[in-house]
Amino acid sequence: MALPLVVGIDGPESSLEAVDLAAARAARHGLSLHLVHAAAGDREPFDVISAGSERAGSRNLRVRLSSEVLHADVAAALVDKRRNAFALVLGSRGLGDLADMLGAALQVSLREAQVRTCPLTAVHTWNPPPRAHTLRPTPSSYASEAHRRRPWQMLDDALRGMTQRYRDARASPKVFECPVRRASLDAASADLLVVGA
């Protein structure tokens, strides 16, 4: 039996657009579609799964559909589901909180470093605006937070919070003023490359 195409949904329109893309891909490859919503802590899933199932069904693509609500950490749940999936499809987080974006990638990275007993290099890249003195206010929480705090401060703060949980992981931060693509190519010789937002 073929592995399902797994799509992680969290409610916003961007995740429903991911359902559209995943349903079309599942139909094209003759795969089943499995919707996953991770409701960490005490949060209730509301109608996230219902909305996603309805959206997938409205595509009329004759795709076998299943769904699941996991009461677990989002990053851990998705990494776990990816192990038994044809592919994992995710929507954009849009203007989400920077700490959440850094926290998810760091959590996966620190967990892997601890399990593999290997060092972790946490890389944060940034590109300053061409004219910092004429920077206009932007609705992006990432941009406003990056403007208030230095990039190395953001990475240090994120690492400090996570290394308490993964005490056996050895992490060293590095901050580069360059495009993400260039930093990723420089790190391509690593055993595992985890890319966050």
Side-chain angles (χ1 to χ4, degrees):
M1 184 173 164
L3 294 173
L5 184 66
V6 175
V7 58
I9 58 174
D10 61 0
E13 181 62 25
S14 60
S15 73
L16 293 179
E17 290 171 2
V19 170
D20 293 341
L21 294 171
R25 186 170 182 193
R28 190 167 39 253
H29 290 277
L31 302 169
S32 60
L33 182 63
H34 186 64
L35 306 179
V36 175
H37 173 63
D42 296 330
R43 290 188 311 161
E44 288 299 320
F46 299 108
D47 293 322
V48 174
I49 288 291
S50 298
S53 298
E54 186 177 312
R55 182 78 165 242
S58 70
R59 306 291 291 165
N60 296 317
L61 295 173
R62 296 185 184 159
V63 172
R64 283 178 294 134
L65 183 64
S66 60
S67 61
E68 182 177 13
V69 175
L70 300 171
H71 293 279
D73 171 73
V74 176
L78 293 175
V79 168
D80 184 58
K81 283 295 163 187
R82 173 60 186 104
R83 298 178 204 275
N84 295 308
F86 174 81
L88 178 65
V89 178
L90 302 172
S92 169
R93 292 227 28 190
L95 301 178
D97 182 67
L98 174 63
D100 288 344
M101 292 188 287
L102 280 176
L106 283 175
Q107 184 169 1
V108 170
S109 302
L110 285 164
R111 180 180 293 134
E112 287 294 327
Q114 183 166 290
V115 168
R116 294 167 183 247
T117 62
C118 66
L120 167 69
T121 302
V123 177
H124 178 53
T125 64
W126 68 290
N127 289 316
R131 298 179 188 175
H133 61 280
T134 61
L135 181 66
R136 294 181 182 173
T138 172
S140 166
S141 62
Y142 179 91
S144 61
E145 190 167 348
H147 187 63
R148 286 193 311 269
R149 292 195 297 158
R150 301 286 184 211
W152 58 87
Q153 289 175 319
M154 290 190 290
L155 183 57
D156 282 345
D157 290 347
L159 271 173
R160 192 176 308 111
M162 300 298 282
T163 50
Q164 296 298 323
R165 184 171 176 184
Y166 300 98
R167 295 181 189 276
D168 294 335
R170 294 167 295 152
S172 58
K174 288 190 178 179
V175 176
F176 297 104
E177 185 179 333
C178 69
V180 174
R181 180 173 40 94
R182 195 168 95 206
S184 298
L185 289 173
D186 290 345
S189 61
D191 288 341
L192 177 67
L193 181 63
V194 177
V195 181

